[in-house]
Amino acid sequence: MMNKVIIIGGGLAGSEAAWQVARRGVAVTLYEMKPNQYSPAHEMPLLGELVCSNSLRSNAVDSAAGLLKEEMRCLDSLLMRCADTTAVPAGSALAVDRGKFAEMVTREIEQHPLITVMREEVQTVPDPAAGPVILAAGPLLSGPLAEHLQTLTGGNNLAFYDAIAPIVDAESLNWDIVYRKSRWDDEGPGDYLNCPMNKEQYLHFIDLLGNAQTVPLHDFEKPHYFEGCLPVEVMCERGPDTLRYGPMKPIGLAHPVTGERYYAVVQLRAENSEGTAYNLVGFQTKLTYGEQKRVFRSIPGLEEAVFLRLGSIHRNSFVCAPEVLDATLQMQRLPGIFLAGQLSGVEGYIESTAMGLLAGMNAARMVQGKTLVVPPEATAHGALIQHLINTETKHFQPSNVNFGLFPPLAFTGRKIPKKERGQHRKKLALELLSQWQQDVSR
């Protein structure tokens, strides 16, 4: 008989999941291997340790990241309460005192009467027959547990490397320059957007790229990239024409109206069915965020690009969520096993915590015999879930929350000005979340 939940991993997602289970009156055992064993990125024995930046990004509720935080506050997130309590000055962002934050998370978890913390390593995913299991072992998952999860997910559905290209807002593109066409396709409008370059523009671009600043590798990372997902700046280092024969190949991309042929072309692929967000094909990168904006805005058509997500390449274990998970964060083939955190296929501190919140909520409901729930699509939580389950499998990559993941806004009468859309999304999301909370509490 199910009477408790087992959680593996005491990071952000695992700690939040434990809190959400316990606050619903269900016992939980939380396994954390520290301090007996540390991953290459961890230093403190505390739960909820932040391993990189101490910033949780924007706190403005009319931004996607700020809206996600506000929704988490509405859902009684422990980690948001800890973050707000231990905040340090950071302008419009929410940043925390790293040590005080982890201390508060640890204290709240260890003192809860329904939470038992076991300081030991788990090497295999437990059988969910005795109760739901939440796997929140973090992006550096490795060893026997990673091997077991890879077996459970089926072959190639567990990745160990992130190669993420930037995503831009379609409305920020210069449509006087950008044209629509698929390579070699002379019929129809084409599925790709194209940013054309003449020789002078191309040489200027690779000069900027070749001299741009990159993010230094962590001590536990090695510069061993897959040939199929090399950083764009590494390809540039291999010679001035490498990109022209790679992701910027102009062959088959003559302008559909003028017939003009170009020296190089940057292709953009739709990130969602609504066509509101596009990613730069083949532009995974380790450039710093500031350099990405500076260099990539030199591409014709992207002069005023608004970046919904910036590129990165780093060590990160995650599942191919559309193949592995359902909308409740359970494994499709193994009901009762939930994935949370970056392992589920999201990117970022807050996104990982939010998936822990939802996994904890549903695991507790499973023990109580209640119907599992999924947040509305137009909320930040719901938009992340839709990204996990509805992205085309071959193009799936982890993502931060951004408004490009949300359903399009319905315009009634006048079109909503761009500067006002964040406020409209906030109002709609919080209203939907409030109604959803009332519905699921019945």
mmCIF file of all heavy atoms in Angstrom, residues 363-383:
data_model
loop_
_atom_site.group_PDB
_atom_site.id
_atom_site.type_symbol
_atom_site.label_atom_id
_atom_site.label_comp_id
_atom_site.label_asym_id
_atom_site.label_seq_id
_atom_site.Cartn_x
_atom_site.Cartn_y
_atom_site.Cartn_z
ATOM 1 N N ALA A 363 2.843 13.627 -7.082
ATOM 2 C CA ALA A 363 3.207 12.413 -6.339
ATOM 3 C C ALA A 363 2.358 12.298 -5.077
ATOM 4 O O ALA A 363 1.888 11.206 -4.719
ATOM 5 C CB ALA A 363 4.694 12.443 -5.996
ATOM 6 N N ALA A 364 2.148 13.410 -4.386
ATOM 7 C CA ALA A 364 1.301 13.395 -3.192
ATOM 8 C C ALA A 364 -0.137 13.027 -3.552
ATOM 9 O O ALA A 364 -0.795 12.243 -2.850
ATOM 10 C CB ALA A 364 1.338 14.757 -2.500
ATOM 11 N N ARG A 365 -0.636 13.564 -4.647
ATOM 12 C CA ARG A 365 -1.998 13.242 -5.073
ATOM 13 C C ARG A 365 -2.131 11.764 -5.438
ATOM 14 O O ARG A 365 -3.176 11.147 -5.213
ATOM 15 C CB ARG A 365 -2.393 14.132 -6.266
ATOM 16 C CG ARG A 365 -2.538 15.607 -5.902
ATOM 17 C CD ARG A 365 -2.894 16.451 -7.116
ATOM 18 N NE ARG A 365 -4.269 16.202 -7.562
ATOM 19 C CZ ARG A 365 -5.330 16.855 -7.107
ATOM 20 N NH1 ARG A 365 -5.191 17.813 -6.187
ATOM 21 N NH2 ARG A 365 -6.527 16.581 -7.570
ATOM 22 N N MET A 366 -1.082 11.197 -5.988
ATOM 23 C CA MET A 366 -1.122 9.776 -6.322
ATOM 24 C C MET A 366 -1.266 8.934 -5.063
ATOM 25 O O MET A 366 -2.061 7.983 -5.011
ATOM 26 C CB MET A 366 0.146 9.388 -7.099
ATOM 27 C CG MET A 366 0.224 7.909 -7.449
ATOM 28 S SD MET A 366 1.639 7.518 -8.505
ATOM 29 C CE MET A 366 1.007 8.089 -10.083
ATOM 30 N N VAL A 367 -0.485 9.268 -4.023
ATOM 31 C CA VAL A 367 -0.588 8.533 -2.758
ATOM 32 C C VAL A 367 -1.998 8.662 -2.182
ATOM 33 O O VAL A 367 -2.562 7.711 -1.631
ATOM 34 C CB VAL A 367 0.452 9.061 -1.747
ATOM 35 C CG1 VAL A 367 0.213 8.467 -0.359
ATOM 36 C CG2 VAL A 367 1.865 8.731 -2.219
ATOM 37 N N GLN A 368 -2.598 9.827 -2.319
ATOM 38 C CA GLN A 368 -3.926 10.087 -1.758
ATOM 39 C C GLN A 368 -5.067 9.587 -2.636
ATOM 40 O O GLN A 368 -6.242 9.756 -2.288
ATOM 41 C CB GLN A 368 -4.078 11.593 -1.510
ATOM 42 C CG GLN A 368 -3.120 12.129 -0.456
ATOM 43 C CD GLN A 368 -3.041 13.655 -0.446
ATOM 44 O OE1 GLN A 368 -3.284 14.312 -1.455
ATOM 45 N NE2 GLN A 368 -2.711 14.224 0.705
ATOM 46 N N GLY A 369 -4.722 8.988 -3.776
ATOM 47 C CA GLY A 369 -5.748 8.456 -4.656
ATOM 48 C C GLY A 369 -6.494 9.522 -5.436
ATOM 49 O O GLY A 369 -7.616 9.284 -5.914
ATOM 50 N N LYS A 370 -5.894 10.694 -5.597
ATOM 51 C CA LYS A 370 -6.544 11.790 -6.316
ATOM 52 C C LYS A 370 -6.080 11.824 -7.776
ATOM 53 O O LYS A 370 -5.022 11.299 -8.126
ATOM 54 C CB LYS A 370 -6.215 13.128 -5.652
ATOM 55 C CG LYS A 370 -6.738 13.271 -4.232
ATOM 56 C CD LYS A 370 -6.338 14.626 -3.652
ATOM 57 C CE LYS A 370 -6.866 14.813 -2.241
ATOM 58 N NZ LYS A 370 -6.462 16.131 -1.665
ATOM 59 N N THR A 371 -6.873 12.451 -8.607
ATOM 60 C CA THR A 371 -6.522 12.636 -10.004
ATOM 61 C C THR A 371 -5.300 13.546 -10.123
ATOM 62 O O THR A 371 -5.211 14.563 -9.440
ATOM 63 C CB THR A 371 -7.694 13.264 -10.780
ATOM 64 O OG1 THR A 371 -8.843 12.430 -10.641
ATOM 65 C CG2 THR A 371 -7.357 13.428 -12.253
ATOM 66 N N LEU A 372 -4.354 13.164 -10.977
ATOM 67 C CA LEU A 372 -3.176 14.003 -11.182
ATOM 68 C C LEU A 372 -3.560 15.221 -12.032
ATOM 69 O O LEU A 372 -4.511 15.176 -12.810
ATOM 70 C CB LEU A 372 -2.064 13.205 -11.849
ATOM 71 C CG LEU A 372 -1.649 11.906 -11.129
ATOM 72 C CD1 LEU A 372 -0.325 11.401 -11.689
ATOM 73 C CD2 LEU A 372 -1.556 12.102 -9.631
ATOM 74 N N VAL A 373 -2.819 16.291 -11.874
ATOM 75 C CA VAL A 373 -3.228 17.567 -12.464
ATOM 76 C C VAL A 373 -2.120 18.172 -13.321
ATOM 77 O O VAL A 373 -0.933 17.898 -13.126
ATOM 78 C CB VAL A 373 -3.644 18.567 -11.365
ATOM 79 C CG1 VAL A 373 -4.900 18.084 -10.662
ATOM 80 C CG2 VAL A 373 -2.518 18.787 -10.357
ATOM 81 N N VAL A 374 -2.538 19.007 -14.269
ATOM 82 C CA VAL A 374 -1.617 19.718 -15.160
ATOM 83 C C VAL A 374 -2.053 21.181 -15.193
ATOM 84 O O VAL A 374 -3.233 21.473 -15.413
ATOM 85 C CB VAL A 374 -1.660 19.136 -16.585
ATOM 86 C CG1 VAL A 374 -0.698 19.892 -17.505
ATOM 87 C CG2 VAL A 374 -1.336 17.647 -16.566
ATOM 88 N N PRO A 375 -1.157 22.129 -14.970
ATOM 89 C CA PRO A 375 -1.535 23.551 -14.954
ATOM 90 C C PRO A 375 -1.951 24.043 -16.330
ATOM 91 O O PRO A 375 -1.537 23.481 -17.356
ATOM 92 C CB PRO A 375 -0.270 24.254 -14.463
ATOM 93 C CG PRO A 375 0.835 23.308 -14.763
ATOM 94 C CD PRO A 375 0.272 21.936 -14.668
ATOM 95 N N PRO A 376 -2.769 25.078 -16.409
ATOM 96 C CA PRO A 376 -3.213 25.629 -17.697
ATOM 97 C C PRO A 376 -2.034 26.050 -18.578
ATOM 98 O O PRO A 376 -1.026 26.547 -18.089
ATOM 99 C CB PRO A 376 -4.055 26.841 -17.289
ATOM 100 C CG PRO A 376 -4.498 26.557 -15.888
ATOM 101 C CD PRO A 376 -3.372 25.794 -15.260
ATOM 102 N N GLU A 377 -2.194 25.873 -19.869
ATOM 103 C CA GLU A 377 -1.107 26.142 -20.810
ATOM 104 C C GLU A 377 -0.655 27.592 -20.806
ATOM 105 O O GLU A 377 0.506 27.889 -21.090
ATOM 106 C CB GLU A 377 -1.541 25.748 -22.226
ATOM 107 C CG GLU A 377 -1.752 24.261 -22.414
ATOM 108 C CD GLU A 377 -2.155 23.920 -23.837
ATOM 109 O OE1 GLU A 377 -1.947 24.766 -24.732
ATOM 110 O OE2 GLU A 377 -2.678 22.816 -24.057
ATOM 111 N N ALA A 378 -1.554 28.513 -20.502
ATOM 112 C CA ALA A 378 -1.203 29.934 -20.560
ATOM 113 C C ALA A 378 -0.548 30.439 -19.281
ATOM 114 O O ALA A 378 -0.275 31.627 -19.147
ATOM 115 C CB ALA A 378 -2.434 30.778 -20.876
ATOM 116 N N THR A 379 -0.283 29.536 -18.316
ATOM 117 C CA THR A 379 0.526 29.882 -17.153
ATOM 118 C C THR A 379 1.982 29.559 -17.471
ATOM 119 O O THR A 379 2.279 28.800 -18.404
ATOM 120 C CB THR A 379 0.094 29.101 -15.908
ATOM 121 O OG1 THR A 379 0.322 27.687 -16.137
ATOM 122 C CG2 THR A 379 -1.379 29.323 -15.601
ATOM 123 N N ALA A 380 2.901 30.110 -16.702
ATOM 124 C CA ALA A 380 4.319 29.819 -16.933
ATOM 125 C C ALA A 380 4.618 28.343 -16.681
ATOM 126 O O ALA A 380 5.381 27.718 -17.425
ATOM 127 C CB ALA A 380 5.179 30.700 -16.033
ATOM 128 N N HIS A 381 4.014 27.770 -15.618
ATOM 129 C CA HIS A 381 4.199 26.338 -15.353
ATOM 130 C C HIS A 381 3.658 25.497 -16.506
ATOM 131 O O HIS A 381 4.302 24.543 -16.960
ATOM 132 C CB HIS A 381 3.485 25.944 -14.056
ATOM 133 C CG HIS A 381 4.199 26.353 -12.812
ATOM 134 N ND1 HIS A 381 4.138 27.635 -12.318
ATOM 135 C CD2 HIS A 381 4.978 25.651 -11.944
ATOM 136 C CE1 HIS A 381 4.858 27.705 -11.206
ATOM 137 N NE2 HIS A 381 5.382 26.518 -10.962
ATOM 138 N N GLY A 382 2.469 25.859 -16.981
ATOM 139 C CA GLY A 382 1.862 25.104 -18.070
ATOM 140 C C GLY A 382 2.634 25.221 -19.364
ATOM 141 O O GLY A 382 2.750 24.251 -20.125
ATOM 142 N N ALA A 383 3.190 26.404 -19.633
ATOM 143 C CA ALA A 383 3.975 26.600 -20.853
ATOM 144 C C ALA A 383 5.219 25.709 -20.840
ATOM 145 O O ALA A 383 5.601 25.133 -21.870
ATOM 146 C CB ALA A 383 4.363 28.069 -20.997
#
